[in-house]
Amino acid sequence: MVSPPFPGQAVSASRTRAVVESFRRALNTGDPQHLLDVLAPQVVLLSDGGGVKRAALHPVVGARKIVRFYSGGTAKVEGRLTSDPTVVNGNPAFFMRLNGEIEGVMALRVEDARIAGLYFVRSPEKLTHLGSETPLTLR
């Protein structure tokens, strides 16, 4: 097991997958109680719209505030919002799609078997490379 980059108890890979899947189901259904159950009480959400897309200007701290933020944001969306699992910088993440088109990427930090950090990038400029993979080669 690898130590987490932030304080807290490390979580096994299988438990991390279960927490991430539970969070994905909560996002896709929009169930506020399910979201509260999977978020750590002092979870932090950082978002980046690049000045082009709507995003929180300051960190959103606390599970209840994040659920209100998410519920309020999705209520204004016309269309279907879904999340598809991916990996960003070695961490679990989701492609957030609106009507099938990438709306953003949300990276997660899992700690003590709950979601402790959310990093949501919506800035179009920072998402341009998502259509391709960057191959890693040894020199």
Side-chain angles (χ1 to χ4, degrees):
M1 203 165 4
V2 177
S3 298
F6 301 97
Q9 184 178 352
V11 180
S12 71
S14 63
R15 183 65 181 133
T16 296
R17 282 190 299 276
V19 169
V20 169
E21 177 56 24
S22 184
F23 184 62
R24 187 188 69 77
R25 282 192 310 272
L27 286 175
N28 287 345
T29 63
D31 179 356
Q33 186 57 54
H34 195 159
L35 285 167
L36 286 172
D37 292 343
V38 74
L39 294 173
Q42 290 302 308
V43 60
V44 176
L45 165 70
L46 302 173
S47 60
D48 177 1
V52 178
K53 297 273 189 153
R54 296 189 82 175
L57 298 176
H58 303 285
V60 181
V61 180
R64 291 192 184 284
K65 287 182 182 177
I66 289 173
V67 169
R68 280 194 304 269
F69 179 81
Y70 181 75
S71 297
T74 57
K76 297 174 185 173
V77 172
E78 291 186 25
R80 185 163 187 258
L81 188 63
T82 58
S83 57
D84 299 316
T86 190
V87 175
V88 172
N89 296 330
N91 293 306
F94 296 111
F95 287 121
M96 302 300 293
R97 297 180 189 273
L98 179 60
N99 297 324
E101 298 295 321
I102 294 176
E103 178 67 16
V105 174
M106 183 182 297
L108 313 174
R109 180 167 46 93
V110 178
E111 193 176 286
D112 299 328
R114 294 200 119 163
I115 305 296
L118 300 165
Y119 311 94
F120 189 27
V121 176
R122 297 187 68 215
S123 172
E125 184 176 306
K126 294 177 182 175
L127 299 175
T128 58
H129 69 286
L130 293 179
S132 62
E133 287 188 29
T134 304
L136 299 177
T137 59
L138 297 174
R139 293 180 195 215

